[in-house]
Amino acid sequence: MRALDAEAVRDWAEACVRDLRALRGEIDDINVYPVADSDTGSNLLHTMTAARNALAEVVPPNAGAALTALADAAVRAAKGNSGIILSQVLRGMARSAGNAAELDGAALAAALRAADTAATAAVARPMAGTMLSVLHAVAVALDETFGSDFGSADRTTEATEAAEVTATTGPEPGEVATLAAKIAADALAQTPHQLAPLAAAGVVDAGGRGLLVVLDALAEALTGVRKQSFDDVTDTTHANTAQQAWEVMYLLTVSDENRAAALSELRRALSELGDSVTVAEAGEAEYAIHVHCADIGAALEAGLDHGRPHHVRVEPLLTPKPPDTVAAGADRAVVAVVHGEALARLIEAEGTPVLTVAADREPTTEELLNLINGTAAAHVTVLPGGIHLTAAAERVTNHPMVAGRDVVVVPCSSPVQVLAALAVHDPGRRAGADVVAMAEAAAATRRGELTVAAEDAITWVGRVFAGDVLGFIDGEVVLVEPRDTADRVERAAIGVLDRMLAVGGELVTVLVGDDAPAGIADVLAEHVRAERPDVELVCYPGGQADAMLLIGVE
């Protein structure tokens, strides 16, 4: 085995280009996520070839310089989302190596962990089941096997030279690379279980497959043994496609003033335009930008708001229609958007994909697109757990990135209406009839709510002071319990519930918020048993931060 010196880096780059060229067609064929545009293999090959060619034109004095030459060229030539991520893998390794003459096993493990950090940081919303999750599995395994302190991602030139990388303990570089490839192969095999489009097409993630090629090549460069860690790439029937959007890429020079804030705002703006947003560091004050969107001009204007775009590249993007081979019953899906982690876990336990959003914000366009497109279904019903969440969901129903899918939003004003809709969902029913049934169930569910007044106010039922407990029914204040009443929450909860049941009801669903007093569910259960034994009561932890209790009556 050999250490990763400058010559080994050169051999690695050559092996990467050779194998990516050989497997380009296979990788392109399995490219179905985020769009089935059959170019992931080509993009990885283009990016790595440019990096290899740049390294061939210089004589780097050490491994760190060789990795830096690869990374700099890859960032500037990166093509597609996968190409940008690969460039960040190389950049992370280069930064970790510093000016090291060569990398031993510990240093290589640290470099691969740094690659994971750099690549993940560049992507606006990392997704499980992609190239990033394969890379992260490698980083976790290396950390567990060798320890995060075994090799430093911040080693100085002096420390490297002092060590001379001649340590007699620790793993050989080839052992680290071989383990990395094995872990990547195992993680790649799991990607169809993590992303519905991959499962529907019967393939693994194309970007992850390309990353495995790169790691196999690294192991070969260090051990002299050529091995393919994952040979059973499953062919897939190409999805029907229609041109709907564009892949926009450019380099952006950003001024030093408020750079972090500018980049954060740029990510937000691009996420509102489309998906697959990447903002990756490309050098001093320079960043590689990537987005899939329908409006090329808006993507460039977003960059102009924060710097100087240059090296602009735009290519047509093919948005997939769901494969014709999707099994019966899997051609449609129901998804939910809610506030509260506990509620999200409750919904996920029923097999419904869910997007959890913090109470103080709305979901971004990219988050909603990923939720909808991640189902690989032709018909998607969205159940948003609130008025503002409903409005956000309705804004993306006609987005170009969901073209080919029928996206329907069932308006819900409260999470209890989401649960009511899910309770009547029947996958065996026709899609239109199922939507109608869910919409009717949501609309028929009356909603109650208990909150604490944040400030003094005047309501229909009298004056309110900050700290008072307010009871709402269908959005209107119906009672106020003064803040100085010891059992004000229990009294308010029972008061709201009794008012709701006074006009009828057979099933009461209560979602308990984070700030609700302990035992409130037992208080309500005892009251219902004593006063309304004909009514069924179920209580769940909701995890919501904006209401102590959410009550639904059906």
Side-chain angles (χ1 to χ4, degrees):
M1 294 188 182
R2 62 195 290 200
L4 187 67
D5 55 15
E7 190 60 31
V9 172
R10 196 184 304 276
D11 291 345
W12 175 35
E14 290 288 350
C16 284
V17 172
R18 177 199 68 204
D19 292 346
L20 286 171
R21 181 179 291 119
L23 292 170
R24 172 178 56 182
E26 291 184 34
I27 297 174
D28 282 345
D29 284 346
I30 63 172
N31 175 202
V32 298
Y33 184 86
V35 288
D37 48 0
S38 301
D39 65 356
T40 293
S42 300
N43 290 343
L44 289 169
L45 176 60
H46 174 88
T47 303
M48 198 67 212
T49 299
R52 186 275 312 268
N53 292 344
L55 180 58
E57 295 177 358
V58 299
V59 182
N62 54 51
L67 288 169
T68 299
L70 279 181
D72 288 346
V75 168
R76 293 182 176 278
K79 193 172 184 181
N81 203 43
S82 57
I84 288 184
I85 291 175
L86 177 58
S87 74
Q88 294 307 294
V89 169
L90 296 173
R91 177 169 289 280
M93 294 182 69
R95 282 189 168 175
S96 178
N99 291 320
E102 58 184 33
L103 274 65
D104 61 4
L108 179 58
L112 290 172
R113 292 196 298 268
D116 170 52
T117 301
T120 301
V123 178
R125 187 170 184 262
M127 290 287 289
T130 64
M131 185 177 183
L132 287 175
S133 60
V134 173
L135 179 61
H136 186 62
V138 171
V140 170
L142 293 177
D143 186 51
E144 292 176 347
T145 303
F146 305 121
S148 59
D149 58 346
F150 198 76
S152 172
D154 298 311
R155 58 171 57 202
T156 63
T157 302
E158 294 78 14
T160 300
E161 291 174 349
E164 288 295 321
V165 205
T166 57
T168 58
T169 60
E172 292 285 346
E175 294 173 344
V176 172
T178 300
L179 174 62
K182 178 183 182 303
I183 296 300
D186 293 341
L188 179 63
Q190 295 302 310
T191 55
H193 303 292
Q194 298 169 310
L195 272 179
L198 304 181
V203 297
V204 296
D205 179 65
R209 181 67 181 99
L211 176 65
L212 180 56
V213 171
V214 171
L215 294 175
D216 275 334
L218 178 61
E220 178 187 345
L222 295 173
T223 66
V225 178
R226 187 175 185 182
K227 184 178 184 298
Q228 295 298 310
S229 300
F230 195 90
D231 297 322
D232 57 340
V233 176
T234 306
D235 290 332
T236 180
T237 302
H238 284 289
N240 294 326
T241 59
Q243 183 175 316
Q244 298 291 344
W246 303 91
E247 181 174 43
V248 181
M249 297 159 282
Y250 53 87
L251 293 178
L252 182 69
T253 302
V254 183
S255 64
D256 289 336
E257 185 178 356
N258 296 324
R259 186 183 304 174
L263 294 175
S264 177
E265 174 61 24
L266 176 60
R267 283 192 178 92
R268 187 203 63 76
L270 293 175
S271 293
E272 290 300 316
L273 294 175
D275 61 8
S276 295
V277 174
T278 306
V279 179
E281 188 173 351
E284 185 62 30
E286 196 161 71
Y287 296 83
I289 310 302
H290 176 279
V291 62
H292 293 168
C293 66
D295 193 336
I296 301 169
L300 293 174
E301 288 174 0
L304 284 167
D305 288 341
H306 303 289
R308 182 177 64 85
H310 55 101
H311 289 76
V312 177
R313 288 176 289 159
V314 177
E315 296 185 6
L317 191 64
L318 299 177
T319 300
K321 295 179 182 178
D324 296 333
T325 56
V326 175
D331 59 342
R332 57 193 176 94
V334 176
V335 300
V337 186
V338 299
H339 299 301
E341 290 289 346
L343 175 61
R345 289 194 294 270
L346 176 65
I347 295 173
E348 285 175 336
E350 299 300 317
T352 300
V354 60
L355 171 64
T356 310
V357 184
D360 58 349
R361 74 175 185 88
E362 294 183 8
T364 66
T365 299
E366 184 176 24
E367 288 173 330
L368 290 168
L369 291 176
N370 282 330
L371 176 69
I372 293 168
N373 290 335
T375 65
H379 184 285
V380 181
T381 303
V382 184
L383 301 176
I387 296 174
H388 296 301
L389 297 180
T390 296
E394 288 176 340
R395 285 196 292 269
V396 303
T397 55
N398 294 316
H399 196 283
M401 299 304 294
V402 297
R405 288 187 170 87
D406 184 14
V407 180
V408 179
V409 177
V410 174
C412 298
S413 300
S414 170
V416 293
Q417 295 179 328
V418 172
L419 295 180
L422 286 173
V424 301
H425 167 50
D426 183 357
R429 196 158 39 201
R430 289 187 301 105
D434 197 40
V435 169
V436 170
M438 287 189 285
E440 289 179 344
T445 301
R446 285 169 290 129
R447 53 192 173 89
E449 181 177 341
L450 253 66
T451 64
V452 176
E455 57 187 16
D456 296 353
I458 299 294
T459 73
W460 291 109
V461 295
R463 186 173 181 82
V464 173
F465 298 95
D468 290 350
V469 175
L470 305 181
F472 293 80
I473 296 179
D474 293 331
E476 297 289 340
V477 178
V478 296
L479 62 82
V480 178
E481 287 293 337
R483 58 190 173 185
D484 55 357
T485 305
D487 58 349
R488 62 189 183 281
V489 176
E490 290 84 352
R491 289 167 57 88
I494 291 172
V496 169
L497 182 56
D498 284 346
R499 283 170 171 80
M500 296 179 75
L501 290 175
V503 294
E506 300 175 348
L507 173 64
V508 176
T509 303
V510 178
L511 294 175
V512 181
D514 285 341
D515 295 331
I520 186 64
D522 294 333
V523 170
L524 290 176
E526 183 178 348
H527 177 75
V528 169
R529 279 195 301 269
E531 302 296 330
R532 292 295 304 268
D534 58 314
V535 172
E536 180 182 357
L537 171 72
V538 289
C539 296
Y540 302 107
Q544 70 271 9
D546 53 349
M548 285 189 289
L549 293 180
L550 295 172
I551 304 172
V553 174
E554 302 172 55

